[in-house]
Amino acid sequence: MSIEKVSIEKFLELATTNPILDARSPGEFRHAHFPGAYNLPLFNDEERKVVGTAYNKQGRKQAIKIGLDYFGVKMRKLVEDTEELVHHRSPATVLVHCWRGGMRSEAVAWLLNLYGFKVYMLIGGYKKFRQYVLETFSQPFDFRMLAGFTGSGKTNLLHALARKGQTIIDLEELAHHRGSAFGAIGLPPQPSQEMFENKLALMLRNKFSNFIWLEDESQRIGSVIMPSRLWEQMQCSPVYFLDIPFELRLQQLKKDYGNLEKEKLTEAVTRIQKRLGGLETKLAIQFLKENNVLESFKILLAYYDKCYFKSLDKRKKVNKACNNIVCETVDDDKNVIKLMQALDNEPTKDTQTVLV
């Protein structure tokens, strides 16, 4: 059985049914990797540093000799770890890559092929995948933006659309952040910018419907940033704005955030005090201390409404396709019906007008 070197497109096609083995070091893998890949490092972080230094100072042959000292004692474990991953499937096929498709992936591919696995190697390695990811964000996409002031239940409604057969991408789920000063509370640590982009690009590439629903987010979601070219497309896409009364959204906000740790809520309020204002910050924190979450959130919701309105006003200057949907409740089932009705009545590009 020979080792077959394949393009990024073929590699990703094969990845739908076969495991990806990343031969890079654990540190490289932790920073970012193919979504769903397994780390099967030829060298650990320190070994990689030693081999790299030898390559730069003493040349390729000396680096290979040092690398063989590390590789030899790991051969059996690499094979056994791979056996566990393929779960005795027949044929036992694996996909292997390193940074550039060079010596690390070639060494691992040689060993696994020698043992009897069918091995595919990615031409150009992870570096080629990153090129593929970044090229994705310059492609044209057809989006529909789900908008609304804080507390409108946009994320829940997004998933209600998915249950109706609509194509969605949940940006907050990918970012591990809800998009406000309070957005990280209770969620896992955010991915690196690179890992966020990797996941987003594959989701975009896998969508085949006429358009994709996205929640109307700021370009920055916590510590990650939407790629600029993609963000520009989002800003010019049709907007569906959920027009829900303040009091209903306030109750929804209490439901979503009211049970979170008061200490973390207080820290979040403190982080926005320069924009919120001294008096409002003091009052919001005092209400939290008194366990009066509703009054604290009333101050915060008024602040976020003001911020979102400014953002929406800027959008309308470049995008006339804004559709206002009046909702009497924060109810997924009822609001998704209204949203689908508005979608059915979506005007053509020539007749769209600002309704918000």
Side-chain angles (χ1 to χ4, degrees):
M1 227 181 311
S2 62
I3 299 167
E4 188 173 342
K5 296 186 178 183
V6 296
S7 67
I8 180 61
E9 291 80 11
K10 182 64 175 177
F11 193 84
L12 288 170
E13 179 186 334
L14 290 165
T16 60
T17 53
N18 300 289
I20 298 176
L21 308 181
D22 187 334
R24 298 178 303 152
S25 69
E28 291 172 288
F29 184 84
R30 279 193 301 272
H31 176 68
H33 52 265
F34 275 90
Y38 301 92
N39 193 201
L40 196 76
L42 181 63
F43 306 128
N44 63 31
D45 295 332
E46 183 57 33
E47 291 165 350
R48 172 179 173 251
K49 182 178 179 182
V50 171
V51 172
T53 300
Y55 187 94
N56 291 329
K57 293 185 176 181
Q58 299 170 270
R60 182 175 182 273
K61 290 185 177 180
Q62 183 60 25
I64 290 175
K65 288 180 180 179
I66 295 173
L68 286 172
D69 289 337
Y70 297 138
F71 183 36
V73 296
K74 296 178 182 179
M75 285 184 174
R76 177 168 180 159
K77 187 174 187 309
L78 288 170
V79 167
E80 290 176 343
D81 286 348
T82 303
E83 280 185 314
E84 289 186 17
L85 290 174
V86 298
H87 301 300
H88 307 292
R89 285 181 293 181
S90 182
T93 302
V94 293
L95 314 178
V96 177
H97 76 87
C98 60
W99 169 237
R100 290 190 183 91
M103 287 188 292
R104 286 185 288 177
S105 56
E106 287 176 348
V108 171
W110 167 82
L111 173 65
L112 298 181
N113 180 67
L114 179 66
Y115 185 73
F117 293 101
K118 172 57 183 174
V119 181
Y120 292 92
M121 270 183 61
L122 174 59
I123 298 171
Y126 179 77
K127 185 177 181 181
K128 183 64 178 178
F129 172 60
R130 280 296 296 166
Q131 180 183 334
Y132 175 88
V133 165
L134 296 176
E135 287 172 352
T136 299
F137 303 133
S138 295
Q139 292 188 9
F141 292 99
D142 191 5
F143 295 130
R144 296 296 182 276
M145 307 304 300
L146 184 59
F149 291 128
T150 301
S152 296
K154 297 187 293 293
T155 302
N156 290 339
L157 192 55
L158 195 68
H159 288 275
L161 284 166
R163 292 193 294 272
K164 291 287 186 181
Q166 298 287 303
T167 302
I168 73 161
I169 294 179
D170 188 340
L171 297 173
E172 293 184 354
E173 185 175 66
L174 286 181
H176 298 172
H177 201 283
R178 300 185 190 92
S180 71
F182 306 84
I185 301 175
L187 295 179
Q190 288 199 261
S192 67
Q193 177 69 27
E194 192 171 306
M195 192 65 208
F196 173 73
E197 291 173 355
N198 290 352
K199 289 182 176 182
L200 178 56
L202 289 191
M203 292 196 76
L204 287 167
R205 293 270 189 173
N206 287 333
K207 304 303 182 183
F208 301 107
S209 68
N210 293 329
F211 58 83
I212 302 170
W213 283 99
L214 300 176
E215 189 173 335
D216 189 34
E217 303 281 355
S218 299
Q219 186 170 11
R220 179 180 290 275
I221 309 174
S223 62
V224 301
I225 300 172
M226 291 296 298
S228 294
R229 297 293 293 276
L230 193 68
W231 171 250
E232 290 168 5
Q233 289 193 55
M234 291 167 61
Q235 291 296 287
C236 297
S237 298
V239 177
Y240 287 80
F241 184 89
L242 304 173
D243 189 351
I244 300 176
F246 183 93
E247 287 299 326
L248 293 178
R249 293 187 288 108
L250 180 60
Q251 292 297 329
Q252 183 65 32
L253 202 63
K254 181 182 178 183
K255 179 181 176 182
D256 292 341
Y257 292 90
N259 293 325
L260 297 177
E261 295 179 43
K262 297 298 186 293
E263 182 179 346
K264 292 188 179 298
L265 289 172
T266 300
E267 290 173 357
V269 173
T270 302
R271 284 197 296 273
I272 60 172
Q273 62 180 329
K274 287 185 179 179
R275 289 170 289 164
L276 184 60
L279 178 58
E280 287 81 358
T281 300
K282 182 178 179 180
L283 287 172
I285 291 175
Q286 184 61 40
F287 282 132
L288 285 175
K289 289 179 179 179
E290 295 170 356
N291 208 30
N292 192 343
V293 173
L294 199 64
E295 288 301 318
S296 180
F297 283 4
K298 187 180 290 187
I299 294 170
L300 297 170
L301 189 58
Y303 160 75
Y304 277 111
D305 279 5
K306 189 182 299 182
C307 293
Y308 193 85
F309 185 81
K310 289 180 180 178
S311 173
L312 193 65
D313 191 51
K314 288 180 181 178
R315 173 195 285 275
K316 289 191 291 185
K317 292 177 181 178
V318 295
N319 178 12
K320 303 301 182 183
C322 290
N323 305 279
N324 197 59
I325 303 172
V326 178
C327 303
E328 296 80 20
T329 180
V330 185
D331 182 286
D332 299 340
D333 294 331
K334 292 180 180 179
N335 290 348
V336 78
I337 292 172
K338 289 196 170 193
L339 193 55
M340 295 299 289
Q341 289 173 342
L343 184 65
D344 289 339
N345 296 323
E346 183 177 288
T348 64
K349 290 182 179 179
D350 293 334
T351 60
Q352 284 170 332
T353 57
V354 177
L355 301 176
V356 176

